Amino acid sequence: MPWKSISPIEIYKLLPRTNCQKCGEENCMAFAAKLVNMETKLDKCTPLLEEPKYKANYEKIWSIIKPAVKEVIIKRGDISLKIGGEYVMYRHDLTYINPPPIALDVDDEMSENEIINRVKFTENFSYTYTGINLKLDMIAIRSVSEDPKKFIKTVKIVMENTKLPIMLCSLKPEIIEAGLSLLKNDRPLIYAATKSNWNEMAKLSKEYKCPLAVFSPGDMDGLLTITKNLIDSGVGDLVLDPGTFVGNGLSTTINSLVAIRWKACEEENPLYGFPTMGVPMTAWFLMDGDKLKKATWEAIAAASLIVNHVSLLVMHSIEGWVLLPITLLRRNIYTDPRKPVSVKPELKVIGNPNEWSPVFVTSNFVLTYYLVSGDIENSKIDSYLLIVDTEGYAVDVATAANKFIPDKFKEVIDESGLEKKVKHRILVIPRKAAKISGDVEDAIKWRVIVGPSDSSEIPAFVKNEWPKILEEWKSENK
Amino acid sequence: MEKSDKNPYRKIAESFIKAFEDSDEIELDSIEIAIDKLELLLSSITRQIITPTIMPPQIVKPIEVPKVKFEKPKMVWPGKIIEVEIGATRSMGGTRDKTYIIGGEKAPSFYFFEKPEIVMPHKPIFALDIFDMKISLPKAVRMFYGEDVLNDPAEWARIAIEKFNADMITLHLVSTDPNVKNTSPSEAAKIVENVLQAVKVPICVGGSGNPEKDVEVFSKISEIAEGERILINSLNLDMDLKKVLEPIKKYGHVVIDFSPMDLDKARQLNRKVYDYLPKNMIVIDMNCAGIGYGLEYGYTATQRARLAALRGDEELQHPLVAGVSNAWAAREAWLKMDPLWGPKEIRGPIWELLTGLCMLLAGADYFMTVCPTTPSTLKEFVEYIYGEKVFSKEELYNWVSTKIG
């Protein structure tokens, strides 16, 4: 059965109804409303979680709101990574919940320097996007030597150089155990149980209370068989890896991920209700060609898996041009589709503008707004930003589709009282909207200056051109 | 077993001995053995080392596990995407060497739980953009063409097809915009004629986005390209549809209906166009935006349109367009950034490539791309996905322990 919305009343009836606000909401009804939209978590209602008299109700609510895909937690120190926890097959059916963490690999035959470099790169990776900091999440430590001593040494180096959660990778249980012995209070991901070692790996997973990946490349019968056995032997936190075949076989990988998620969400088959994982770094040993080609195919594999339900990724490239589009794509796909595309058309005041400060114009597409306002704020330019209603289209699309129209300029200028705030009558519009400048000028009787095509160029524009433009206007309008 | 080996079973016997030394039980999986010979060798060689009590036959048997069979997802897709043919050969009244058919899907793109040729009978078409005037293009695109080429749409088109392996070209008549050069419809039609002579593949022709002018331009080029079954980019609800569709119908062209992000408007527009054209002459465009700059909206609108169509919504059962060139609106595609993020000459093409890939997976059939490397890489991806080439499943276990150089 596909996703069906839940009535908040149904949940509200089972809540304590004390309006204690411990969950951070105004009252129990508000909490129920957020809960059915998956915008908050049930365990935020601490009375329900902790007081014995509510135990039955807690379980009842949980059975109603339990995700189709189990949420599995990988943890180290204070950092917890949640994977899975999904409700729907397609993002527009509700929203996707937990963006897939990205692990970069190190191996136990790398030099200490190389390991430290890669670990530091992973930890320091950061890109600010619409006010959100995009990060990498994990280190995958691979045993290439298959020597437990070397593995222990590598795990130690990683632990000393980062706080990020860890994934221990070897198909040999004794190597995994060597690694686990150093991470006793944490929950690293064990990679992986296979058809030949699942029994021993199950023991380790239980003994160390760690989640366990199941690896059965290109063999769904095998994947399910091992999964079933692991569940029967009491291991509950599993991550399914059907194998990532970059190049030949990529179709098998994509279809396996689609099938797993479909069975979990649309057919409610609990055997498939686990997070999945993919390993785009297999591009580095499956593809022929130079590094550029391998890294490109690693990016292609990663993108294909992100849009096809993967819950965790292991990558090798430390190329910014691979990781930047991948982390941005992940953010895009895991953005809540119920959030509006547009911001309110209005006049935004940036810094402390005076009556001769510039007035920049942009569209009310949420992403454009974030970029432009962010650029102006960061460069500390006192100014006004006029957000014109373009029905949520970006500047270039709005211009091409005739949605950047003079009437809308007029509306927001009038409503905001801009004419009282500045003495000049100059609007700076984006270069991408250059072709509307004449029409706007005629309609609203302001001078329309074509400014930079990208808001990153606004500081240079203000420094080099704005003074001239303003002087010219002043001399013409004495 | 190698017949040439002097003692053909020595190797296997030795490995058994090793295995018995190292473990309590061993599992035999996917091994063919000649039982009589093996028994003989085991009895004669291993007896010296292993006491009979630890090697009764039940130890040398696979661990018993309940087998679970994977069953294909129970998917029912009652709808089917209409097949649209673009271009016309001489026998069809045009002058193209070949035509392309897009559409025909019976399941979401690349859901190959049935044979690919059944659920996705036609491969997507990848076109390169060309423009009727020099426009500002990112360096990562310009560097593939000479500067002169960018002033010559016909030569630009020829290079796009011959050198960069695009299936088609999308000619954008941007200069016709009244606020740009206001090129007249007949001048624009000449450019279309030149391009039609320069390449022998079907072509797609777009206007400037000005709804009044596009009506005039499309009417004229429809006439000049009579019978060529060109793909017109695009119609929308702001246009005088009657005026533009009469010549399009008369001269036999196919159209793109453009309704950015809005399924209701897409249905509404299609219904109006149905009054003039049969359904198999209509393609739809739900819009596309780049990674980091709205990809999720175009991706989801495209995916929603496709799923609705497959679930039976007849008004959306048309092939889909992806304007992947919009990827360049994301600043990360073209901005000179900190060296950490790589040179823009690599970053930009990757941006367009990955944006296109997402739209491919969302269900798009016709791709407008501007970077010359995009069509060939996306085609390579499609070949891999369709391919039934042999690949080793067992080999993949090794990713865990393989040194990557």
Side-chain angles (χ1 to χ4, degrees):
Chain A
M1 288 287 283
W3 168 254
K4 275 204 185 74
S5 61
I6 306 159
S7 149
I9 303 290
E10 192 184 348
I11 302 293
Y12 175 74
K13 283 183 196 158
L14 298 164
L15 289 172
R17 286 181 282 173
T18 53
N19 300 332
C20 71
Q21 302 187 341
K22 282 181 187 157
C23 60
E25 304 303 327
E26 280 291 302
N27 49 52
C28 291
M29 190 61 210
F31 180 73
K34 280 207 167 173
L35 197 61
V36 299
N37 283 325
M38 310 309 152
E39 290 165 343
T40 188
K41 298 260 174 180
L42 182 57
D43 48 16
K44 290 221 170 147
C45 180
T46 46
L48 195 70
L49 192 65
E50 287 159 8
E51 292 176 34
K53 62 177 172 180
Y54 294 130
K55 195 168 184 288
N57 279 12
Y58 175 88
E59 275 160 17
K60 244 182 190 165
I61 299 180
W62 180 242
S63 72
I64 299 170
I65 63 156
K66 193 171 75 159
V69 178
K70 185 171 186 181
E71 189 171 79
V72 169
I73 294 173
I74 301 162
K75 186 177 140 294
R76 182 161 165 240
D78 299 334
I79 305 177
S80 282
L81 299 172
K82 292 173 183 162
I83 63 172
E86 302 297 336
Y87 290 87
V88 292
M89 184 75 195
Y90 302 106
R91 67 184 285 273
H92 56 263
D93 291 336
L94 177 74
T95 179
Y96 289 158
I97 308 286
N98 290 316
I102 296 173
L104 287 198
D105 85 308
V106 299
D107 70 60
D108 63 358
E109 292 208 327
M110 286 176 177
S111 70
E112 183 164 350
N113 266 345
E114 191 179 2
I115 295 169
I116 294 173
N117 281 344
R118 290 180 65 85
V119 165
K120 289 288 175 200
F121 173 88
T122 312
E123 179 153 294
N124 296 334
F125 182 98
S126 168
Y127 189 76
T128 307
Y129 171 73
T130 63
I132 297 163
N133 201 4
L134 304 180
K135 308 281 285 175
L136 299 173
D137 312 278
M138 278 179 86
I139 304 293
I141 308 172
R142 297 188 300 129
S143 167
V144 167
S145 70
E146 305 206 319
D147 170 355
K149 284 189 195 123
K150 280 193 176 177
F151 194 65
I152 284 185
K153 195 177 159 217
T154 307
V155 175
K156 277 185 178 157
I157 298 169
V158 172
M159 289 174 71
E160 282 159 15
N161 286 284
T162 182
K163 290 178 172 166
L164 292 177
I166 286 172
M167 170 176 162
L168 299 169
C169 311
S170 173
L171 305 185
K172 291 200 156 47
E174 65 271 25
I175 303 232
I176 294 292
E177 183 152 30
L180 286 171
S181 66
L182 299 174
L183 290 155
K184 278 188 178 137
N185 297 319
D186 295 314
R187 282 173 61 84
L189 175 63
I190 301 173
Y191 188 95
T194 65
K195 63 186 172 193
S196 8
N197 71 13
W198 64 267
N199 219 338
E200 291 98 317
M201 290 296 191
K203 280 180 202 139
L204 292 174
S205 167
K206 281 192 280 190
E207 186 182 338
Y208 290 88
K209 299 185 177 61
C210 290
L212 176 61
V214 184
F215 183 37
S216 177
D219 174 15
M220 286 292 278
D221 290 349
L223 190 75
L224 296 172
T225 301
I226 304 164
T227 300
K228 178 77 171 58
N229 286 320
L230 288 169
I231 295 169
D232 290 349
S233 60
V235 183
D237 285 343
L238 301 174
V239 183
L240 310 184
D241 181 3
T244 305
F245 299 95
V246 183
N248 290 334
L250 192 50
S251 168
T252 303
T253 301
I254 292 173
N255 282 299
S256 301
L257 291 171
V258 166
I260 291 170
R261 187 56 53 85
W262 182 280
K263 291 270 180 184
C265 292
E266 304 284 314
E267 297 177 25
E268 293 180 332
N269 184 333
L271 189 55
Y272 296 80
F274 293 98
T276 54
M277 60 173 286
V279 187
M281 72 169 278
T282 58
W284 289 82
F285 88 105
L286 291 179
M287 295 298 285
D288 298 325
D290 58 11
K291 285 187 172 178
L292 181 73
K293 185 168 182 203
K294 289 178 177 181
T296 301
W297 279 89
E298 183 177 27
I300 289 173
S304 310
L305 304 192
I306 286 172
V307 298
N308 277 305
H309 322 287
V310 84
S311 318
L312 172 78
L313 290 168
V314 183
M315 299 185 70
H316 180 71
S317 291
I318 53 169
E319 300 289 351
W321 56 266
V322 170
L323 295 168
L324 184 59
I326 292 304
T327 48
L328 275 165
L329 171 64
R330 173 179 65 169
R331 181 66 251 150
N332 290 166
I333 296 296
Y334 281 77
T335 294
D336 189 338
R338 298 166 297 180
K339 296 230 166 92
V341 185
S342 52
V343 293
K344 197 176 157 234
E346 63 180 359
L347 185 73
K348 188 177 158 69
V349 178
I350 298 175
N352 298 300
N354 62 33
E355 56 209 8
W356 298 110
S357 295
V359 181
F360 298 102
V361 174
T362 192
S363 77
N364 77 330
F365 177 43
V366 62
L367 297 178
T368 312
Y369 163 74
Y370 266 115
L371 278 178
V372 177
S373 63
D375 279 342
I376 304 176
E377 271 162 14
N378 291 339
S379 48
K380 301 195 182 347
I381 295 167
D382 297 321
S383 57
Y384 292 100
L385 181 61
L386 191 72
I387 305 158
V388 175
D389 185 358
T390 57
E391 297 176 25
Y393 293 121
V395 170
D396 47 353
V397 185
T399 306
N402 259 21
K403 303 286 182 196
F404 221 154
I405 54 178
D407 282 356
K408 298 290 177 188
F409 280 70
K410 201 165 172 5
E411 267 173 31
V412 67
I413 288 172
D414 291 349
E415 273 169 31
S416 64
L418 178 62
E419 297 194 326
K420 293 198 186 87
K421 291 187 166 73
V422 292
K423 284 193 174 163
H424 65 74
R425 292 290 177 266
I426 307 168
L427 295 178
V428 183
I429 66 165
R431 172 143 303 160
K432 285 172 185 162
K435 70 179 195 181
I436 64 161
S437 62
D439 290 350
V440 176
E441 211 161 66
D442 294 346
I444 66 167
K445 310 294 177 208
W446 280 57
R447 174 161 300 171
V448 176
I449 299 289
V450 177
S453 66
D454 189 80
S455 55
S456 61
E457 299 154 27
I458 284 180
F461 172 85
V462 169
K463 187 166 167 245
N464 303 329
E465 293 177 50
W466 175 248
K468 268 184 292 178
I469 293 165
L470 187 62
E471 281 319 305
E472 211 174 283
W473 189 89
K474 281 180 180 172
S475 67
E476 283 169 24
N477 294 279
K478 271 180 185 157
Chain B
M1 290 302 116
E2 287 170 359
K3 300 266 183 204
S4 60
D5 198 323
K6 259 191 196 167
N7 292 304
Y9 302 111
R10 178 172 291 277
K11 247 188 196 165
I12 195 168
E14 281 170 358
S15 65
F16 268 120
I17 295 165
K18 182 83 177 63
F20 280 118
E21 283 171 351
D22 291 347
S23 49
D24 295 332
E25 57 181 86
I26 55 171
E27 178 187 351
L28 294 178
D29 193 2
S30 315
I31 299 174
E32 269 188 51
I33 41 176
I35 293 297
D36 53 340
K37 299 257 176 67
L38 184 68
E39 276 172 355
L40 196 85
L41 284 163
L42 278 175
S43 58
S44 65
I45 301 170
T46 62
R47 203 169 280 156
Q48 304 155 18
I49 303 153
I50 306 156
T51 59
T53 49
I54 63 159
M55 56 161 302
Q58 66 265 33
I59 291 176
V60 196
K61 85 176 189 193
I63 299 164
E64 284 296 334
V65 291
K67 289 271 182 214
V68 185
K69 284 296 277 181
F70 168 69
E71 284 170 15
K72 280 192 291 188
K74 299 182 190 81
M75 294 180 175
V76 182
W77 305 104
K80 184 194 164 189
I81 308 306
I82 291 157
E83 292 176 326
V84 174
E85 187 165 20
I86 308 167
T89 59
R90 289 196 185 277
S91 65
M92 295 163 69
T95 62
R96 307 295 89 198
D97 278 356
K98 58 172 148 186
T99 66
Y100 296 111
I101 296 173
I102 54 174
E105 290 92 339
K106 288 181 186 159
S109 291
F110 309 109
Y111 278 28
F112 288 166
F113 300 107
E114 310 290 334
K115 285 191 171 138
E117 56 270 27
I118 294 171
V119 291
M120 206 176 165
H122 307 292
K123 289 179 184 169
I125 294 297
F126 300 98
L128 276 169
D129 289 342
I130 61 171
F131 297 85
D132 68 339
M133 62 179 274
K134 202 162 186 175
I135 62 154
S136 81
L137 286 170
K139 189 181 161 202
V141 173
R142 279 195 332 265
M143 68 186 188
F144 289 98
Y145 298 104
E147 291 292 322
D148 291 345
V149 173
L150 303 180
N151 278 320
D152 182 349
E155 180 63 4
W156 190 347
R158 195 185 61 74
I159 290 175
I161 301 298
E162 288 174 15
K163 187 171 170 193
F164 298 120
N165 195 26
D167 298 314
M168 286 177 59
I169 55 93
T170 308
L171 168 63
H172 299 275
L173 298 167
V174 288
S175 80
T176 59
D177 192 303
N179 293 322
V180 181
K181 278 190 182 171
N182 203 17
T183 302
S184 71
S186 28
E187 280 174 85
K190 273 185 202 139
I191 299 168
V192 174
E193 277 189 306
N194 290 342
V195 170
L196 279 169
Q197 278 178 10
V199 296
K200 287 293 154 200
V201 291
I203 68 166
C204 172
V205 181
S208 66
N210 180 299
E212 290 87 28
K213 186 65 181 280
D214 278 357
V215 168
E216 293 174 40
V217 171
F218 292 160
S219 302
K220 187 70 195 171
I221 60 173
S222 291
E223 185 187 341
I224 217 89
E226 180 174 4
E228 294 284 10
R229 213 175 162 94
I230 60 175
L231 182 59
I232 305 254
N233 175 40
S234 56
L235 307 186
N236 60 61
L237 285 170
D238 294 335
M239 287 174 137
D240 184 339
L241 289 170
K242 180 178 190 295
K243 201 171 162 190
V244 73
L245 277 161
E246 275 170 357
I248 290 173
K249 181 186 176 185
K250 182 173 173 194
Y251 300 112
H253 302 295
V254 285
V255 298
I256 297 173
D257 284 357
F258 180 56
S259 323
M261 325 274 182
D262 193 328
L263 267 60
D264 286 332
K265 283 190 180 163
R267 294 185 188 99
Q268 203 184 329
L269 176 58
N270 286 348
R271 281 197 296 271
K272 292 189 179 200
V273 178
Y274 294 160
D275 290 343
Y276 299 88
L277 297 180
K279 285 189 170 182
N280 67 359
M281 294 181 91
I282 302 167
V283 180
I284 56 177
D285 184 351
M286 303 306 303
N287 208 10
C288 168
I291 289 174
Y293 204 52
L295 173 111
E296 64 271 40
Y297 304 114
Y299 171 83
T300 286
T302 300
Q303 187 176 52
R304 284 183 64 200
R306 175 51 47 90
L307 293 173
L310 292 170
R311 285 171 183 149
D313 187 332
E314 292 185 357
E315 289 169 348
L316 294 171
Q317 287 170 348
H318 298 271
L320 286 153
V321 169
V324 176
S325 319
N326 291 345
W328 296 90
R331 61 167 59 177
E332 289 85 356
W334 54 267
L335 196 68
K336 187 173 181 343
M337 296 169 77
D338 185 292
L340 171 68
W341 306 114
K344 60 181 184 182
E345 290 78 7
I346 296 178
R347 199 183 341 112
I350 278 280
W351 221 268
E352 185 179 292
L353 170 67
L354 297 180
T355 299
L357 179 72
C358 293
M359 296 306 285
L360 187 63
L361 293 163
D365 301 275
Y366 180 82
F367 290 77
M368 297 178 189
T369 71
V370 72
C371 184
T373 52
T374 307
S376 49
T377 315
L378 287 179
K379 280 184 181 183
E380 201 180 341
F381 176 85
V382 170
E383 289 308 316
Y384 278 133
I385 292 283
Y386 271 85
E388 285 184 71
K389 296 164 205 158
V390 183
F391 61 98
S392 164
K393 293 173 177 177
E394 292 294 313
E395 190 196 339
L396 202 68
Y397 283 108
N398 297 332
W399 85 265
V400 187
S401 56
T402 299
K403 184 78 196 161
I404 286 167

